[in-house]
Amino acid sequence: MDISGGNILARGRVATRLPAQDLERARRFYAERLGLEPVDERPGGLLYRCSDTEFALFTSTGASPGTFSQMGWQVDDLDGVVAELRSKGVEFEEVDVPGFRTVDGIAHVEGHYPSKHARGERAAWFRDSEGNLLGIGEPVV
């Protein structure tokens, strides 16, 4: 492996890993509520693909604290995605802390990464069957 051309991790692909205390329960949640099916599996693990990224659910005896976003999707129509997921029984988090508040499950987040050419983001969060906190965001241009 040639590692002379810069940071070797910057050339790698990133994939999220989410713990599941009950992998079959998690599989049902991701299929029935999110409409996602694994593209591959092995004992104790399910691999999912969304666009050109991957994430895996793995059997774990530890539980997620669910106190921070562990994974997120960027979408073009947040309202449509939230409505569709709600119709499948997904419950969105309500947050009301200084400087940050959701209204009907959706927050307006000030600022954005300059590379995204947006002035902010609209976002929503929900928990999967295992307590993992997942987010959905739409850039505000």
Side-chain angles (χ1 to χ4, degrees):
M1 176 192 317
D2 177 19
I3 60 171
S4 62
N7 186 310
I8 60 172
L9 291 180
R11 294 191 312 266
R13 294 178 58 214
V14 174
T16 298
R17 305 289 188 251
L18 298 172
Q21 290 186 313
D22 184 330
L23 197 58
E24 285 309 309
R25 176 179 61 204
R27 178 197 293 260
R28 284 190 307 276
F29 177 89
Y30 280 77
E32 295 169 6
R33 304 281 171 92
L34 307 184
L36 299 173
E37 295 291 341
V39 296
D40 205 353
E41 60 185 279
R42 64 180 182 202
L46 301 171
L47 180 67
Y48 292 84
R49 191 166 290 131
C50 297
S51 187
D52 62 348
T53 60
E54 297 177 340
F55 71 93
L57 295 173
F58 67 95
T59 300
S60 175
T61 57
S64 167
T67 57
F68 55 87
S69 299
Q70 293 164 264
M71 181 174 74
W73 287 266
Q74 181 175 314
V75 299
D76 294 328
D77 178 12
L78 182 65
D79 294 313
V81 172
V82 167
E84 181 179 338
L85 294 178
R86 278 189 172 138
S87 76
K88 294 178 180 180
V90 173
E91 296 179 18
F92 286 86
E93 298 286 305
E94 291 294 342
V95 179
D96 189 359
V97 297
F100 190 83
R101 182 174 179 233
T102 55
V103 176
D104 196 26
I106 297 176
H108 291 270
V109 181
E110 295 296 321
H112 208 65
Y113 300 110
S115 64
K116 294 196 179 260
H117 306 291
R119 66 178 195 273
E121 181 178 42
R122 296 175 65 237
W125 293 266
F126 65 93
R127 295 177 195 283
D128 71 6
S129 61
E130 308 309 296
N132 297 306
L133 186 61
L134 309 176
I136 306 167
E138 174 187 6
V140 175
V141 291

